[in-house]
Amino acid sequence: DSGVTQTPKHLITATGQRVTLRCSPRSGDLSVYWYQQSLDQGLQFLIQYYNGEERAKGNILERFSAQQFPDLHSELNLSSLELGDSALYFCASSVASRGNEQFFGPGTRLTVL
Amino acid sequence: QQQVKQSPQSLIVQKGGISIINCAYENTAFDYFPWYQQFPGKGPALLIAIRPDVSEKKEGRFTISFNKSAKQFSLHIMDSQPGDSATYFCAASISGFGNEKLTFGTGTRLTIIP
């Protein structure tokens, strides 16, 4: 158990809908990262937040957005969902002094029908 | 542009044997190289990591070998066990605030047979 929690574990929704994925980092970790894992694209970095502020952006679609709240939990919002958005979404966290060392949560499996 | 290339895609090793997975990177700014282990339905778990100032790091049955000039690194699993059957990902990142995103290889599905 990495100490990173994610909810829900599974999410099934329809095209065009909007969903919110939630992540709680390990106690004391200020950085949160979101990654997408799909069969064709592999594991890809989406976005990083540090202590409530966006720190880095990767291959994140404009339909996707994220935020980190004062209690350090983070949410990833996916809107206007398409079939191709079906994937595993992982959250990872790290301490500020060792940002490379990232610990992953169990993931949310999103299925868009 | 795939910045971290991983091979093989799949690997079958007999119990007790040595499993070897290789990765090559392009960006010379990378200075942190972790390996993650992922079981079906689980998140990637950090296994072992190395920085370019050393050529080898060993933790139990797991060893990373690093060749800076060749821009390659590899994971060796000694005395491989059926419980090691999983997908392994190499990754690379750059130290420094806002640069720590992990760039992953495509993964190796390892199967240990009795």
Side-chain angles (χ1 to χ4, degrees):
Chain A
D1 185 0
S2 68
V4 178
T5 61
Q6 289 186 250
T7 57
K9 191 168 176 62
H10 300 280
L11 204 46
I12 301 174
T13 188
T15 54
Q17 295 298 304
R18 172 189 166 97
V19 296
T20 298
L21 282 52
R22 182 188 169 104
C23 166
S24 292
R26 297 185 315 161
S27 177
D29 286 358
L30 299 180
S31 274
V32 169
Y33 309 77
W34 286 96
Y35 292 85
Q36 179 193 58
Q37 185 175 35
S38 62
L39 283 174
D40 55 343
Q41 296 291 325
L43 266 163
Q44 297 234 327
F45 168 73
L46 295 177
I47 196 164
Q48 177 197 1
Y49 275 81
Y50 175 79
N51 202 21
E53 292 189 3
E54 182 183 306
R55 186 55 63 179
K57 226 168 183 177
N59 299 322
I60 187 166
L61 299 171
E62 284 192 14
R63 301 183 285 108
F64 296 1
S65 65
Q67 58 185 129
Q68 186 179 28
F69 295 86
D71 67 351
L72 300 178
H73 92 271
S74 177
E75 292 181 356
L76 180 66
N77 300 296
L78 315 177
S79 61
S80 301
L81 286 167
E82 301 175 359
L83 296 177
D85 298 327
S86 295
L88 274 164
Y89 291 85
F90 289 105
C91 164
S93 73
S94 68
V95 298
S97 58
R98 301 176 67 169
N100 306 97
E101 194 172 83
Q102 297 174 26
F103 297 88
F104 283 71
T108 293
R109 181 176 292 279
L110 172 67
T111 302
V112 182
L113 300 175
Chain B
Q1 179 191 12
Q2 185 188 354
Q3 295 193 53
V4 180
K5 294 184 179 180
Q6 183 171 346
S7 63
Q9 194 171 4
S10 63
L11 181 63
I12 299 174
V13 174
Q14 206 141 25
K15 179 183 173 183
I18 303 174
S19 303
I20 301 174
I21 305 171
N22 301 299
C23 281
Y25 62 97
E26 299 168 7
N27 188 347
T28 55
F30 287 143
D31 63 356
Y32 177 77
F33 302 89
W35 284 89
Y36 282 83
Q37 179 189 56
Q38 186 177 27
F39 292 105
K42 305 290 185 183
L46 181 60
L47 200 57
I48 186 172
I50 197 168
R51 292 192 182 273
D53 52 343
V54 297
S55 60
E56 187 174 282
K57 183 174 181 181
K58 184 176 180 178
E59 288 184 4
R61 296 183 296 108
F62 300 92
T63 299
I64 299 180
S65 296
F66 186 82
N67 186 329
K68 188 173 181 178
S69 60
K71 293 188 286 184
Q72 295 175 347
F73 59 110
S74 60
L75 175 70
H76 296 234
I77 306 174
M78 313 299 287
D79 187 27
S80 299
Q81 298 296 313
D84 297 329
S85 296
T87 300
Y88 292 80
F89 293 93
C90 62
S93 71
I94 302 169
S95 297
F97 217 45
N99 288 319
E100 306 99 332
K101 64 174 184 178
L102 293 168
T103 299
F104 284 91
T106 49
T108 296
R109 180 171 291 184
L110 174 65
T111 304
I112 307 300
I113 56 174

